[in-house]
Every structure is written in C-alpha cells, then in structure tokens.
Amino acid sequence: MAIVLGPNRYGKAETRLVRVVRDGESHRLADLNVSVALAGDLAATHLTGDNSGVLPTDTMKNTVYAFAKKHGVGEPEEFGLRLARHFVTSRAQVHSARVSIESHGWDRLGPHSFQRQGSHTRTATVTVTAEAEQVVSGITGLVLLNSTASEFHGFPRDDYTTLTGTTDRILATAVDARWRHALPAGDWATSYAGAVEALTGAFVDTYSYSLQQTLYAMGSRVLSARPEVAEIRLVLPNKHHYLVDLSPFGLANDNEVFIAGDRPYGLIEGTVTRDDAPAASAEWYL
Amino acid sequence: MAIVLGPNRYGKAETRLVRVVRDGESHRLADLNVSVALAGDLAATHLTGDNSGVLPTDTMKNTVYAFAKKHGVGEPEEFGLRLARHFVTSRAQVHSARVSIESHGWDRLGPHSFQRQGSHTRTATVTVTAEAEQVVSGITGLVLLNSTASEFHGFPRDDYTTLTGTTDRILATAVDARWRHALPAGDWATSYAGAVEALTGAFVDTYSYSLQQTLYAMGSRVLSARPEVAEIRLVLPNKHHYLVDLSPFGLANDNEVFIAGDRPYGLIEGTVTRDDAPAASAEWYL
Amino acid sequence: MAIVLGPNRYGKAETRLVRVVRDGESHRLADLNVSVALAGDLAATHLTGDNSGVLPTDTMKNTVYAFAKKHGVGEPEEFGLRLARHFVTSRAQVHSARVSIESHGWDRLGPHSFQRQGSHTRTATVTVTAEAEQVVSGITGLVLLNSTASEFHGFPRDDYTTLTGTTDRILATAVDARWRHALPAGDWATSYAGAVEALTGAFVDTYSYSLQQTLYAMGSRVLSARPEVAEIRLVLPNKHHYLVDLSPFGLANDNEVFIAGDRPYGLIEGTVTRDDAPAASAEWYL
Amino acid sequence: MAIVLGPNRYGKAETRLVRVVRDGESHRLADLNVSVALAGDLAATHLTGDNSGVLPTDTMKNTVYAFAKKHGVGEPEEFGLRLARHFVTSRAQVHSARVSIESHGWDRLGPHSFQRQGSHTRTATVTVTAEAEQVVSGITGLVLLNSTASEFHGFPRDDYTTLTGTTDRILATAVDARWRHALPAGDWATSYAGAVEALTGAFVDTYSYSLQQTLYAMGSRVLSARPEVAEIRLVLPNKHHYLVDLSPFGLANDNEVFIAGDRPYGLIEGTVTRDDAPAASAEWYL
C-alpha cells in the first residue's frame, strides 16, 4: 500500500470586480465575484514544494482585472469562457479550468447612479478542457411564496409520524438552480431572463401537492421554454410557515397568522433532464 | 460603597410573523421580525429571583401573534404602537415598552404569489411610556452607488497620510437611517415612501466632495420633504472601490475597473435636525 | 425653523491587523479588528464639502499599522488609548476619539504555530477627549449553558399567557458584556482575566430562578472581584431549549432531549453598578 | 426528445438537537445539527403530486429526537449510522439514506455547566444503501497559522504576473477536511481525535514551500496515523496576510505587521488516498 495524491485543483476565490462602462451618457455597471480553479499537472508542488508549474493565484486575480479592461465583461457566461479558455490554452500544465461567477444586479437610478437589487444572485460556472467546454447558468437566493394553492397529504405514516395533512398551506422556498447548456455559445442574457421567467412562472402557476411537484414543474418549464438548456438542477428548501394556535386566546386562525421558521427546514433536490441530453463533461452541481 | 442594579430591560427578540390578509381576490402579505423590550419595576427578579412582576417573554410572543389576528398588522409603526401601548397600559410594573420591527418587502407575482425583495429592510421603533410616545422609522441595507460625480481632496495631511486626492471616484454606501417623527400619528406609508424617495434622490442628485456632504444632503432633503420628521440619523459606510493598477499589463484604467473592498471601510455617522425639534423622549439611535 | 447639523463623527472601521512579535524563540501574535471614530469641528465638510478639517480615514488605517510597529500592540486597552490620544492631541479639530477593538485569541501549538480559539472575542472601547479618558473592556460571544439548576415560575399571567412554570430547565446564553473602568490605567490583562473568571464563575455557581437573577449575580461578582471596574452592562440572550414531546412515541423525556431554538429568544439587558461610581464621560454601551 | 426526472432526494435539514445525559453526578452534553436526505422511488410525487411514497420530513425530525432518547447519541458517526439504517430498512421506497451531522463541542465548567468551544466543528456524513454503508468523518473551521517557516517562490510567470516570491510569509488556513473510512465500524472517538492531531501536527511540523505541500503533508499524516481511513479530502483557503508597506513612515517591517485579508483568497483542494483504497459507494466530498 502506498499513499498517493488524488484529484486536486487550486485557484483564486472571490475576486471582487466592479466594472464601469463609461462609453455613453449613461454608465453601465457589472458587479462580479469571480472564482478560478485550475487542475492539471500539479503533483510536484504537493510532493516536494516545487512550484515550477504553479501559476500564482495572484496572477489569476490580475487576469480577471486585466481582462475586464481589455475585453469588457459582457454576460458572466461570456466572461467565464474567456477566462477559462485563457488558462487552458496558455499553460500546458493546466488541463482544466473552472471559472465560477456570481453577478449582482443593480437597478438604474440615474445616468451614473444605481441601487443594488439584493433579491437574488445570478451565477455562471464555466469548465473548459482541451476536449470540452461546459457552461452552467444559475440563480441563487430567489425567495418565492404562495400564500395558498398548496396542499400536502396522502403521505405514509410510521411510528414517528405525527404530522396531519393539510389542504391549504403557505409554500415558500429560496430557489437555488443551475442549468447546463447544451452548447458553449448562445444569447446568454436572453437565455437567463427566459429561464428565470420560466422558474418564477411555474412556481406561480402550479397548484401544488408537494414541493417536489413544484420543483418538477419549474424544471420542466425551463426545459420547455429554453431549447438550449440540456438539464436543470433545483435545490429548494421548504421554508416552513407554521400556523399559530390562537385558540387559547379565543381566536380562530384561518391561515392568516404564521410563524416563519428558521430551522429545521425541508430540503428538496432534483434534476430535470432531457432523455437525449448530451453527457456532462464535468461535475456541474453539488 | 454598595453594588446596585442600574438600568435594565427585558423582552422577546425576533418574533417572526407572517400575516396573510385574505379578504379579497388578492392576498396581501406582511412579513415582520418583532422585538419587544420592557422596563419598569424589575428589581425583585434581579435580586432574589422573585418573578411576580416578570410577564414572560413567551407571553410577549403570543401577544404579537394574537394582535396580528385581532387587529391586523397595518404599517409597522401602527403595529408597534398598538403593542407598546398594550404592555404599558395593561401592567403596572411596566413603565416603558419599546417595540422594534423589521419589515421585509415582497413584490406581487400573482393573486397569492410573491417574490421577496431583499434590497433593503424597513424598520420602525416605537417607545411608549405613561408620559410620551415616540416613533422612529427607518431603513437599513439600501445599497447605493454613484459611478462618478464624486471627488475627495483638500484634506489635511499628517505623518501617516499617503492618500492622494481624487476628482473622480466611485461613491457607494449601504444606507442605514432612522428618522424620528414629531408626533406618534401620521400616514406612515406615505411618510416612509417619501423619506426613502428623498434619501435616494439626494444621493443621486448630489455632486459630492465628501460622503459627509452627501449625508447632510440626504438628511436635509428628508427634513425638507417631510414636515412630520423631527430629525434623522444616518450611518453610512464608505464602501471603498479601489482603482486597479493595470499599468503592469500595459493598460490604462480610466475609472473603469475597480476592486470592491470588504474591510476596512469608512464609516460616516451624523444627525440632521431642526433647530426647533422637540426633545426625544427615549434614546432613538445608536 | 432651520435645518441644522446635529451630532456626528466619522472614521475607519474594521482595520484588520495581525501583529507578530518575533523577539524571542517563540513568536507571539496579536489579531485585532480596530475601528476609529473621530468627532469635533466637522461642520464644513457636511455643509459645503470643504475637507480642510477631515483627516482621511485612510490615514487612520495607516496610523493603526504604523503604531503597531513603532509601539507594539500590548493589551487592546493600551493600544486603544495610544491611538485615541494621538488623534485628539495631534489635531485641533478633533475633540473626541473613540477606538473600538476586537481581539481574537489564539492558542499556541508551537514556537511559531497557532490555532484560533473562536470561543469568544475580547473587546475594548476607549474614548478620549481633552477632559476625560474612558476605558471600557468587554467580551462577546461567550456561550454558556447549565443543564439544570434553573427554574422559572411564579410569574404573572394575562390573557396571552400560556407558558407553564418549570422547576428544571436548560439555561443557556451568549454573554455580551462591557465593563467600564474607573481609571484609564491598570493591569489590563489581569483585569480582563479576572472579570471573565468572575462572569463564568457566577454563571456556574448561581442556582437560577430567572436569567435576570443570573445576570445580576454575574455583574455583582465582577464588581466584587475587580475594584477597578466602576460598572458593568450585560446583554444576555435567553437561548431557549425546548423540551421535545416524545409521548406520541411512547417515550418519557425527563429533561434529556431538547430542541435548540434560533428565533425568537429572550433578551435580558441590565447594568450593575456601584452607588459611588464616577459618571461616565461618554456613552459606553448600547 | 422527452423531459424526464433525473437524480433526486429530499429530507429534513438542520434539525437542532441537544441531548443531555443525566445518569451520573456530572451531566454530559451532545449538541448536534442533523440533516437527513432520502433517495429512492420518488417519481410519483414529482410527476403527479402523489405522496404515497413520501415519508414526511417532519417524521425524519421526530425520528432524530426519538432515537436520541431511545438509543442515546454516542459518537456522531454512530448516531448517523443508526438513523440511516432505520430509514433504508423500514421503508421499501427508500434506496439510499444520507445523514449529515455537525457536532459542536463544549468544555466542562462544572458538573452541569458548559462553555461552547467555537473553535471548529466536527462533522460526520453517513450514506447507507442496501448494498453498502459509507462513513465519512470531518472537521470544519479549524483555523491554523504559522507565523514563519513558509516560503513561496519558483513559480512560473506570464504577462499578468506581478507577484514577487518570498522566503518568509505567514501561512494561515481554515481547515475543512473530510476523511472516508474503509469500514462502517470503529472507535469513532479515538479515530477522530487521532485524525485531528495528525492534521494539526503536520501543519505545525511542515516547513512549507506551498500550501499544496502542506495539504499533502496533512493528508498523508492522517493516512499514516489512521489505518482505518481510506482517503481524505482537504479544502484549504489560503488566508492571505499582506505585509504592510511602512516605508512612507520611515519604518521597516520585518514580517511583523500584516493586513489580514478577507477576499480574495487562494483555495487549495486535494485528495490524498491509498493506492488500494476501496471504491467509494457514494459521493463523499464536494
């Protein structure tokens, strides 16, 4: 038996970039958090501290800023592809580059004035090797709530089941979704807007008997609406709202007064895919 | 010398309430985080553990939920006043009640469907005694940015000064503001909307030579626009955006590429008031 | 009626400093988060953007680092006093300087190796004017729990009270304490260690009928043990542990299985003081 | 082309359990955060909302509390195995159960008094199917620092490299490690303590030319010391400490005064394994 090095990668995480475009009367703004991870021929530094193949993570940070100036940022998927391709093509030891981007939205208040949205974050994760390029778009922190049109009953019971079914409950979640594109090219802005509209629309439209049903409806709506998306992963916490028992105070509570719980919460995770989806070239969700 | 009990209070913090109003075709939603603190004749429990004057904090929580049903929530100032008055008038030992509320906004997606805003939080802090009622409204987490129209120079220098002045920088902050009303009554919704519009408008309109100048402009705009506001406290972090030196890469950087810094940050705090403002009846900002 | 500038201050918050002392075989480490706030003659910058009296916050940051080299750090109270005195004495416009420090502890693993403690944070807040120097020491995030020896009953009941009294409960809190020293000089390390020992010891030793009683015992123990402390403020969340009802599963629960709740929580705040304590020269707790 | 359901699972996340053992003069305490995720025959609820196979997540929560009473908690690996086996063996639709546990440590202050450690969190993730049982132990949030004995140089340079090499720097990280056991049985407490000692010892002992080298030393030390461990994954942020340039103030800085940076940070991830390690039966790190 010998001890050996297994899978590994390294990079610079959370490089915070704000890029202002000042080419017209109105400024435009990109506000990104960029993480780079490289894999390849990295045994020497692990085994002996020989860094001759270790491009500094500081250089990755510099590259993010320099590319933002030279090429602009554009859509996060586009910026990620440009960066990832650069690392793989410019350095022989780098076999794989993954660039993960969080993009924060801002609303315009004036020609050079903005208000941060805060309601959710757009994400893009690009993985490039010599053989394949994979683009995954996503959204995180999108909190949605239906105050009715949600039931949950008909479930099995065991010795530890005390829950009673309900035909009217609040259904609330914080959408965390990643969708894998079939091709590493496209109209990223339109695709993203369409996917988010599909997610939100399906949440609103679905009369729900379980959060799983809503999850599947959201995923399949995205695949129906966006032919460029090969598959989608959804992670949906069931943000429980507990009906308050007001009977000690002589009050009825017809689904009007709720405790918003923190922990524990349900957690529903699922992939919706096409039966002819091309295989993923890299892990694309966790 | 004797050891004695000084100022004290107690209560239930962060009672999470979601109130659904279902009286029409479209539901309405209030999403509050309510904290109650009572002061008064509380020496016995501190000194001997005699709890005969200690209304349980669990009861305060119950009262929040019961009042949400009986009276509805309405504006957070209104709900806070109703709760605070209840505790002071119903219990002789309670000399002062402070109710602090965070109100989370939701955008409508459908008759019973909502998306959480996340861009900022509305606050209200009500303090009631037998003699006085004080209402303080506020906002927290409102992130604003001007990508130009901000200078900073003309400052004094000492042995530890290395900063060079600038005639063009990003000015960004996360507004944390509290404003004290002259009277414990009013059209809270209109007042709040007007105050936020004034804050935002002044930030956008001010060509700024210092964040202090912007702070004063924001505060005085609120007082000008809202006669019901006696004074306003603003706490404005200067969220530094550092210009990246791209010269090693042969690139200019004409205020286009910035590092968004986390720590340290400037912190500017100031009150803007009326010279005839009535005195505050309780501490109203920290 | 005129709109005027009220109380204000500004400074640099959260300057992160790690100071290594390398003068012996074993290195020593100070890990601080330093915030500086200055007040004084600052009307011009607010009203007109004239910065001739505004020492840059960047200079405050530089001063923190330069002083850490020139003078060393020592105890946080000492470092805070040195910084605060510097700003007040070196600049005529500065009438008051407040330096707030968080100090993170590290355990030694070797001559130059350390493990961060994480169990709590030591704090010091120093406020200096031409007339007075005030030193406040403190601790935050110290989580303590008694698994018995805590009762709560004998409380009044109103229409919204459903709580039943208990003669055996978990009592848990996260201690947030600030204590004001009578003089701006002392053996800060010994004083801090003694105060923390008193706080912890009183929590352990007190058979508690209310968290208020425990609070007062903790505060008075500190004053008894440390004559240099004039008064102490304690903010103690009551971190509720709810007994799980296991009867549906045919199981008893004799105070063995608990839900650790997040929100809401009780919040008990109180000052313990000496009847001859000198007056505070600046606000010292919030 | 058809849209189909892909991999999915669901469960109850973050059930907070505090278990007191009161069987002797001194109480003992277990403080866990337990997450359960089940996978299996779950298509119906996704496609039609038929919940006949969906054991409620509320039942999972109840099971955690009931098992804590009936069987005690013991080591987190043991508790996780008992729970995961229960779900797989008691319900035909459940093909796989994953139980993830965070265990918070407390130091004893008295027979029934405790202080929370806060310095790191112990983890255990157990995955059970009909065919295999996999146990992964771990630690998160263990912050270590060497104030010297760390170099970084000899790296390649490209057009975006500005970093200069160093022969003396601070090396600091927050250890996030998961190690997979060869067998689902063992002396978990001894194994955990030994693994943590190996991680910490290797960090202290390694004269480091790169964080990768330190990572490999830490991983191989664990495998050498603990034969029951098949492989280990380490995720190590490089928590940068930047040397402050004090030359403008006429001061030298011989590695004494540092800025502790927040973002960006290096991120080094790697697996150290045995060449004869049995294959993992489920994903075991992310």
Side-chain angles (χ1 to χ4, degrees):
Chain A
M1 188 280 296
I3 293 171
V4 294
L5 180 65
N8 61 86
R9 61 189 174 199
Y10 82 109
K12 189 67 108 192
E14 302 205 37
T15 293
R16 292 282 291 111
L17 162 68
V18 169
R19 174 67 160 97
V20 181
V21 179
R22 307 165 67 102
D23 53 7
E25 287 190 11
S26 287
H27 291 187
R28 284 172 290 129
L29 203 66
D31 178 0
L32 304 184
N33 193 20
V34 182
S35 297
V36 175
L38 307 183
D41 187 5
L42 292 163
T45 187
H46 287 88
L47 303 181
T48 69
D50 171 356
N51 294 319
S52 59
V54 182
L55 187 73
T57 65
D58 186 76
T59 299
M60 301 176 203
K61 177 193 69 176
N62 287 345
T63 307
V64 168
Y65 290 121
F67 273 41
K69 168 61 185 170
K70 280 172 83 165
H71 308 291
V73 165
E75 299 300 312
E77 292 84 354
E78 186 185 350
F79 192 56
L81 276 167
R82 184 174 292 118
L83 284 164
R85 285 168 183 162
H86 164 76
F87 292 113
V88 169
T89 57
S90 65
R91 305 215 58 83
Q93 307 96 319
V94 177
H95 302 164
S96 171
R98 189 189 64 185
V99 178
S100 305
I101 296 176
E102 297 172 342
S103 173
H104 303 293
W106 293 77
D107 290 321
R108 178 175 298 283
L109 296 177
H112 52 259
S113 299
F114 305 88
Q115 176 180 334
R116 193 158 164 171
Q117 292 173 346
S119 57
H120 61 267
T121 302
R122 177 178 172 181
T123 71
T125 302
V126 171
T127 310
V128 169
T129 64
E131 294 77 31
E133 297 185 329
Q134 180 175 286
V135 177
V136 176
S137 300
I139 192 169
T140 189
L142 175 71
V143 180
L144 302 176
L145 182 149
N146 283 328
S147 55
T148 187
S150 167
E151 308 190 6
F152 186 63
H153 48 74
F155 44 78
R157 310 187 73 87
D158 69 10
D159 290 349
Y160 303 102
T161 302
T162 56
L163 189 73
T164 53
T166 175
T167 57
D168 192 357
R169 64 170 183 174
I170 283 181
L171 187 70
T173 191
V175 179
D176 200 354
R178 300 290 179 278
W179 49 95
R180 183 165 67 87
H181 295 268
L183 296 175
D187 177 350
W188 306 115
T190 301
S191 180
Y192 174 77
V196 174
E197 186 185 353
L199 287 169
T200 305
F203 181 86
V204 171
D205 295 344
T206 302
Y207 191 100
S208 176
Y209 292 93
S210 70
L211 185 48
Q212 283 91 334
Q213 187 189 14
T214 298
L215 181 151
Y216 187 77
M218 294 169 76
S220 57
R221 178 85 66 103
V222 171
L223 296 188
S224 297
R226 306 305 317 174
E228 71 275 17
V229 176
E231 53 182 344
I232 180 168
R233 178 73 174 185
L234 289 147
V235 178
L236 300 183
N238 191 342
K239 297 172 73 76
H240 303 311
H241 286 69
Y242 304 102
L243 199 65
V244 183
D245 177 10
L246 298 174
S247 62
F249 321 122
L251 298 168
N253 188 358
D254 297 332
N255 286 316
E256 293 174 302
V257 180
F258 295 89
I259 300 165
D262 291 315
R263 295 190 293 185
Y265 49 91
L267 191 60
I268 314 297
E269 305 171 77
T271 303
V272 184
T273 188
R274 298 179 194 278
D275 60 4
D276 62 351
S281 64
E283 64 179 23
W284 67 281
Y285 68 82
L286 298 187
Chain B
M1 185 283 295
I3 294 171
V4 294
L5 180 65
N8 61 85
R9 61 188 173 199
Y10 83 108
K12 187 69 105 191
E14 301 206 39
T15 294
R16 291 283 292 112
L17 161 69
V18 169
R19 174 67 158 95
V20 181
V21 179
R22 307 164 69 102
D23 53 6
E25 286 190 11
S26 288
H27 290 187
R28 284 172 290 128
L29 204 66
D31 178 0
L32 304 184
N33 192 21
V34 182
S35 297
V36 175
L38 306 183
D41 186 4
L42 292 163
T45 186
H46 287 87
L47 302 181
T48 68
D50 170 356
N51 295 317
S52 59
V54 182
L55 188 73
T57 66
D58 186 75
T59 299
M60 301 177 203
K61 177 193 72 178
N62 288 346
T63 308
V64 169
Y65 290 121
F67 273 40
K69 168 59 185 170
K70 278 171 84 167
H71 308 289
V73 166
E75 298 301 311
E77 292 85 355
E78 184 185 352
F79 192 57
L81 277 167
R82 184 174 293 119
L83 285 164
R85 287 167 181 162
H86 164 76
F87 292 114
V88 170
T89 57
S90 66
R91 305 215 58 82
Q93 306 96 321
V94 177
H95 302 164
S96 171
R98 189 187 65 186
V99 178
S100 305
I101 297 177
E102 298 172 341
S103 173
H104 303 292
W106 293 77
D107 290 321
R108 177 174 298 284
L109 296 177
H112 52 261
S113 299
F114 304 88
Q115 176 181 335
R116 193 160 165 170
Q117 291 172 347
S119 57
H120 61 267
T121 301
R122 177 177 173 182
T123 70
T125 301
V126 171
T127 309
V128 170
T129 64
E131 295 76 32
E133 297 185 329
Q134 179 175 286
V135 177
V136 176
S137 300
I139 191 170
T140 189
L142 175 70
V143 181
L144 302 176
L145 183 149
N146 283 329
S147 55
T148 187
S150 167
E151 309 191 6
F152 186 63
H153 49 75
F155 44 79
R157 311 187 70 87
D158 69 8
D159 290 348
Y160 303 103
T161 302
T162 55
L163 189 73
T164 53
T166 175
T167 57
D168 192 357
R169 63 171 183 173
I170 284 181
L171 187 70
T173 192
V175 179
D176 200 354
R178 300 290 179 277
W179 49 96
R180 183 164 67 88
H181 295 269
L183 297 175
D187 177 351
W188 306 114
T190 300
S191 180
Y192 174 77
V196 174
E197 186 184 352
L199 287 168
T200 305
F203 182 87
V204 171
D205 295 343
T206 303
Y207 190 100
S208 176
Y209 292 93
S210 70
L211 185 48
Q212 284 90 333
Q213 187 190 14
T214 299
L215 180 151
Y216 187 77
M218 294 168 77
S220 56
R221 177 84 67 103
V222 171
L223 296 188
S224 297
R226 309 303 318 174
E228 71 275 17
V229 176
E231 54 183 343
I232 180 168
R233 178 74 173 184
L234 289 146
V235 178
L236 301 183
N238 192 341
K239 297 172 73 76
H240 303 310
H241 287 70
Y242 303 102
L243 200 65
V244 184
D245 177 10
L246 298 174
S247 63
F249 323 121
L251 298 168
N253 187 0
D254 296 333
N255 286 317
E256 292 174 304
V257 180
F258 295 89
I259 300 165
D262 292 316
R263 296 190 292 186
Y265 49 92
L267 191 61
I268 314 299
E269 305 171 77
T271 303
V272 185
T273 188
R274 300 179 194 277
D275 59 5
D276 62 350
S281 63
E283 64 179 21
W284 66 281
Y285 67 81
L286 300 185
Chain C
M1 186 280 295
I3 293 171
V4 294
L5 180 65
N8 62 85
R9 61 187 175 200
Y10 82 109
K12 189 67 109 190
E14 303 208 36
T15 293
R16 291 283 292 112
L17 162 68
V18 169
R19 174 67 159 96
V20 180
V21 180
R22 308 165 67 103
D23 53 7
E25 287 190 12
S26 287
H27 290 187
R28 284 173 291 128
L29 204 65
D31 178 1
L32 304 184
N33 193 20
V34 182
S35 297
V36 175
L38 307 183
D41 187 5
L42 292 163
T45 185
H46 287 87
L47 301 181
T48 69
D50 171 356
N51 294 318
S52 59
V54 182
L55 187 73
T57 66
D58 187 75
T59 299
M60 302 177 202
K61 177 192 70 177
N62 287 347
T63 308
V64 169
Y65 290 122
F67 273 41
K69 168 60 185 169
K70 280 173 83 167
H71 308 291
V73 166
E75 298 301 311
E77 291 86 354
E78 184 186 352
F79 192 56
L81 277 167
R82 182 173 294 117
L83 285 164
R85 287 167 181 162
H86 164 77
F87 291 114
V88 170
T89 57
S90 65
R91 303 216 59 82
Q93 306 97 320
V94 177
H95 301 165
S96 170
R98 189 187 66 187
V99 178
S100 305
I101 297 178
E102 298 172 342
S103 173
H104 302 292
W106 293 77
D107 291 321
R108 179 173 297 283
L109 296 177
H112 52 261
S113 299
F114 304 88
Q115 176 180 333
R116 193 160 165 169
Q117 291 173 347
S119 56
H120 60 268
T121 301
R122 177 177 173 182
T123 70
T125 302
V126 170
T127 309
V128 170
T129 65
E131 294 77 32
E133 297 184 328
Q134 179 175 285
V135 178
V136 176
S137 300
I139 192 170
T140 188
L142 175 70
V143 181
L144 302 175
L145 182 150
N146 283 328
S147 55
T148 187
S150 168
E151 309 191 6
F152 186 63
H153 48 75
F155 44 79
R157 310 186 72 86
D158 69 8
D159 291 349
Y160 302 103
T161 302
T162 56
L163 189 73
T164 54
T166 176
T167 57
D168 192 358
R169 63 170 183 173
I170 284 181
L171 187 72
T173 191
V175 179
D176 199 354
R178 301 289 179 279
W179 49 96
R180 184 165 66 86
H181 296 268
L183 296 175
D187 178 351
W188 305 114
T190 300
S191 179
Y192 175 77
V196 174
E197 186 184 352
L199 287 169
T200 306
F203 182 87
V204 171
D205 294 344
T206 302
Y207 191 100
S208 176
Y209 292 92
S210 70
L211 184 49
Q212 283 90 335
Q213 187 190 13
T214 298
L215 180 152
Y216 187 76
M218 295 170 75
S220 56
R221 178 85 66 102
V222 170
L223 296 188
S224 297
R226 307 304 318 173
E228 72 275 16
V229 176
E231 54 182 342
I232 180 168
R233 178 75 174 183
L234 289 146
V235 178
L236 301 183
N238 192 341
K239 296 172 71 79
H240 303 310
H241 286 69
Y242 303 102
L243 199 65
V244 183
D245 177 9
L246 298 174
S247 62
F249 322 123
L251 298 168
N253 187 1
D254 296 332
N255 286 318
E256 293 174 304
V257 181
F258 296 88
I259 300 165
D262 291 315
R263 295 191 291 187
Y265 49 91
L267 191 61
I268 314 297
E269 305 171 77
T271 302
V272 186
T273 188
R274 300 180 194 277
D275 58 6
D276 62 352
S281 63
E283 64 178 23
W284 66 279
Y285 68 81
L286 300 185
Chain D
M1 188 280 297
I3 293 170
V4 293
L5 180 65
N8 62 86
R9 61 188 173 198
Y10 83 109
K12 188 68 109 192
E14 302 206 38
T15 294
R16 293 282 291 110
L17 162 68
V18 168
R19 173 66 159 96
V20 181
V21 179
R22 307 166 67 103
D23 53 8
E25 288 189 11
S26 288
H27 290 187
R28 284 173 290 128
L29 204 66
D31 179 0
L32 304 183
N33 193 19
V34 183
S35 297
V36 174
L38 307 183
D41 186 5
L42 293 162
T45 186
H46 287 87
L47 302 181
T48 68
D50 170 357
N51 294 318
S52 59
V54 181
L55 188 73
T57 65
D58 186 75
T59 299
M60 302 177 202
K61 178 192 71 177
N62 287 346
T63 308
V64 168
Y65 290 121
F67 273 40
K69 168 60 186 169
K70 280 172 82 167
H71 308 290
V73 166
E75 299 300 312
E77 291 85 353
E78 185 185 350
F79 192 57
L81 277 167
R82 182 174 293 117
L83 284 164
R85 286 168 181 160
H86 164 76
F87 292 114
V88 170
T89 57
S90 66
R91 304 214 58 82
Q93 306 97 321
V94 177
H95 302 164
S96 171
R98 188 187 67 186
V99 177
S100 305
I101 296 176
E102 298 171 342
S103 174
H104 302 293
W106 293 76
D107 291 321
R108 178 175 297 283
L109 296 177
H112 52 261
S113 298
F114 305 88
Q115 177 180 333
R116 194 161 165 168
Q117 292 173 347
S119 57
H120 61 267
T121 302
R122 178 177 173 182
T123 70
T125 302
V126 170
T127 310
V128 169
T129 64
E131 294 76 32
E133 297 185 329
Q134 179 175 286
V135 178
V136 176
S137 300
I139 192 170
T140 188
L142 175 71
V143 181
L144 302 175
L145 182 149
N146 283 329
S147 56
T148 188
S150 167
E151 308 189 7
F152 186 62
H153 48 75
F155 45 78
R157 310 187 72 85
D158 70 9
D159 290 349
Y160 302 103
T161 302
T162 55
L163 189 73
T164 53
T166 176
T167 57
D168 193 357
R169 63 170 182 173
I170 285 182
L171 187 71
T173 192
V175 179
D176 199 353
R178 299 290 179 278
W179 49 96
R180 182 165 67 87
H181 295 269
L183 297 175
D187 178 350
W188 306 115
T190 300
S191 179
Y192 175 76
V196 174
E197 187 186 351
L199 287 169
T200 305
F203 182 86
V204 172
D205 295 345
T206 302
Y207 190 100
S208 176
Y209 292 93
S210 69
L211 184 49
Q212 285 89 336
Q213 187 191 12
T214 298
L215 179 152
Y216 187 76
M218 293 170 76
S220 56
R221 178 84 68 103
V222 171
L223 296 188
S224 296
R226 307 305 317 173
E228 71 275 15
V229 175
E231 55 182 343
I232 180 169
R233 179 73 174 184
L234 289 146
V235 178
L236 301 183
N238 192 342
K239 294 172 73 77
H240 302 309
H241 287 69
Y242 303 102
L243 199 64
V244 183
D245 178 11
L246 299 174
S247 62
F249 322 122
L251 298 168
N253 187 359
D254 297 332
N255 285 317
E256 294 174 302
V257 180
F258 296 89
I259 301 165
D262 291 316
R263 295 190 292 185
Y265 50 91
L267 191 60
I268 314 298
E269 305 172 77
T271 303
V272 185
T273 188
R274 299 179 195 277
D275 59 4
D276 62 351
S281 64
E283 65 178 22
W284 66 280
Y285 68 82
L286 299 186

